[in-house]
Amino acid sequence: MSTELLPPAQPTFVLRGHSAQVHAVHFIQGNTRLLSADAEGWLVSWNLASKRPVAVWRAHGNAVLGIGSWGQDRVITHGRDNKLAVWQLAVRDEEAIGKTLPVDKPPNTTRQPWLLHMLTVNTLNFCSFAMCLDGMPQPYTVHTAIKARNHPPPMLIAVPNTMDSGGIDIFQLPSETRAAVIHADRDITTGMVMALGIHTESTKLQVVAGYESGHTMVFVQSDPGAQFQRLYCAQSHTQPILSMAILPGHECYLTSSADAIIAKHPLPAAPSVWKTELKPFKVIQTKHSGQQGLQVRSDGRIFATAGWDARLRVYSTKTMKELAVLKWHKVGCYTTAFAEIGNCFLIKVEDGGPVKQEDIEDPDEKTAVRISAVTTVQQRREAKAQSTHWLAAGSKDGKISLWDIY
């Protein structure tokens, strides 16, 4: 049958509960939970097996710009109230937290998760934070060895500079100290920082920035304490950059903008870059302006954008070709998120025996979740939700659509 005759794809589920625009979505805890955050500072943790809220609290006094996860039980939120917060949110903590959704007007006194860290940061840029593991080796003592078993590894957080909107601050957690500063480029007028990415490789630190002018730059610090060097600069966009994402293999990164262009850029630390003239790998004119919330799936094969035209678009990272256009929301979409794949996959083994190589349909998968004949319906639902290749999107209408298309 011709693909032209197929009906339009529809979301598998739609989560309703926010009374304001959904600005960020993020999968946590092995794809068993989906976090969503809105323009009024509320966060909702959704159980993906039951599609019901399991934790609701007001994390910020203003709009939330971004969400991240640190280890298995820590959530990072970045709000327009100039705060970046780290919360402890394990499954065992959910029982004590409120469940009343923002649309039902819960009281502001709703019990929150345990607040572990709070940083004062710049949020005038509307630019969300970027994060990566701290690649520096940590001093080894008996105390740090015991602590390492109970806490996630140190993390680096990149945000726009507090005093200079074109500069970048890098903080370290859990110490809450400023680890480095990248000053605004004085030779090129870039305007404000609009999007950030960060990556470490041993002691080498790479920071990727997208600017109001449409420029994007890559800065590299070869050793701790050394000055950052700008190794790449391009202006593929004519409008402010809205979002960016580094590919899992760290060989390149993608940018989207208020214009209709999506560009693929080199990362100067990648070996293949030295054979190029440090120009964008590929620049495509999509004819659809205002694509933001760009996210790459964990296998690096596809990426998605959320559009001002209320459509989600899925592209191939290799060819940059448009693979799917998903239309359900009636108003603009702001954010996307992919469930992580390759770590939690559903493999049916009816006899309950060990998972064998021939039982795994895709040899690229790393881990299997076994379903035996004696599992409960609830366990099957949880395993199914955990293994689905979800694509989530948040919209101006306060709804989150969940898609299962690839």
Side-chain angles (χ1 to χ4, degrees), residues 12 61 70 124 129 182 212 256 269 273 337 348 363 396-397 399:
T12 306
W70 181 18
L124 296 177
F129 72 100
I182 302 175
E212 187 180 11
S256 70
V273 170
K348 294 183 179 179
K396 187 177 180 180
D397 58 14
K399 300 179 179 67

Side-chain angles (χ1 to χ4, degrees), residues 82-384:
N82 300 313
K83 302 296 183 183
L84 187 142
V86 180
W87 312 86
Q88 179 172 297
L89 185 64
V91 173
R92 62 181 179 273
D93 301 319
E94 294 172 350
E95 185 177 352
I97 303 171
K99 309 290 190 294
T100 305
L101 288 165
V103 72
D104 296 323
K105 302 186 184 305
N108 285 327
T109 56
T110 299
R111 184 172 177 180
Q112 299 180 338
W114 186 19
L115 180 62
L116 301 176
H117 302 281
M118 180 74 79
L119 296 175
T120 300
V121 296
N122 177 15
T123 54
L124 296 177
N125 299 30
F126 296 91
C127 173
S128 180
F129 72 100
M131 59 185 289
C132 72
L133 293 177
D134 188 351
M136 282 295 297
Q138 303 299 314
Y140 184 85
T141 64
V142 174
H143 174 72
T144 56
I146 295 173
K147 190 175 181 180
R149 289 185 294 181
N150 302 316
H151 298 276
M155 188 70 65
L156 294 177
I157 303 289
V159 293
N161 184 263
T162 304
M163 303 299 295
D164 182 358
S165 61
I168 301 165
D169 285 334
I170 300 171
F171 293 92
Q172 201 257 18
L173 291 173
S175 67
E176 301 186 14
T177 58
R178 184 183 279 106
V181 176
I182 302 175
H183 298 288
D185 196 300
R186 303 306 177 192
D187 299 327
I188 303 174
T189 302
T190 60
M192 297 189 299
V193 175
M194 299 295 291
L196 287 168
I198 187 170
H199 164 61
T200 56
E201 183 178 338
S202 184
T203 60
K204 184 179 294 183
L205 178 61
Q206 292 175 288
V207 177
V208 184
Y211 295 92
E212 187 180 11
S213 63
H215 284 88
T216 180
M217 299 181 183
V218 178
F219 303 91
V220 177
Q221 184 189 52
S222 56
D223 292 296
Q227 291 292 322
F228 277 89
Q229 294 181 304
R230 192 191 77 199
L231 297 187
Y232 176 74
C233 178
Q235 189 178 18
S236 302
H237 304 278
T238 59
Q239 296 292 323
I241 291 177
L242 298 178
S243 60
M244 64 168 50
I246 300 175
L247 267 66
H250 307 122
E251 67 275 11
C252 59
Y253 68 99
L254 303 164
T255 56
S256 70
S257 168
D259 59 23
I261 290 172
I262 297 177
K264 182 191 290 187
H265 307 270
L267 274 175
S272 61
V273 170
W274 305 116
K275 301 178 183 179
T276 73
E277 297 179 358
L278 291 180
K279 295 181 179 179
F281 286 149
K282 199 162 190 175
V283 177
I284 61 169
Q285 171 57 253
T286 68
K287 299 182 181 179
H288 307 290
S289 60
Q291 296 188 66
Q292 61 187 51
L294 191 155
Q295 292 290 330
V296 180
R297 198 168 69 176
S298 60
D299 63 355
R301 295 181 180 180
I302 59 175
F303 68 93
T305 62
W308 293 348
D309 61 359
R311 289 166 173 81
L312 310 177
R313 291 180 170 84
V314 182
Y315 298 86
S316 164
T317 53
K318 183 177 181 180
T319 65
M320 303 284 283
K321 290 183 178 179
E322 187 179 273
L323 302 177
V325 180
L326 307 177
K327 176 71 169 71
W328 182 84
H329 297 277
K330 305 299 183 185
V331 291
C333 297
Y334 293 143
T335 180
T336 66
F338 282 106
E340 185 176 356
I341 68 173
N343 292 324
C344 300
F345 277 83
L346 177 68
I347 305 299
K348 294 183 179 179
V349 183
E350 297 301 335
D351 61 1
V355 177
K356 301 177 182 179
Q357 185 66 31
E358 55 267 28
D359 293 324
I360 302 177
E361 296 179 2
D362 188 346
D364 292 334
E365 311 306 356
K366 307 301 182 186
T367 312
V369 177
R370 185 186 301 110
I371 301 299
S372 69
V374 297
T375 53
T376 65
V377 173
Q378 178 62 23
Q379 288 172 324
R380 288 177 180 271
R381 287 177 179 171
E382 291 175 354
K384 177 61 176 175

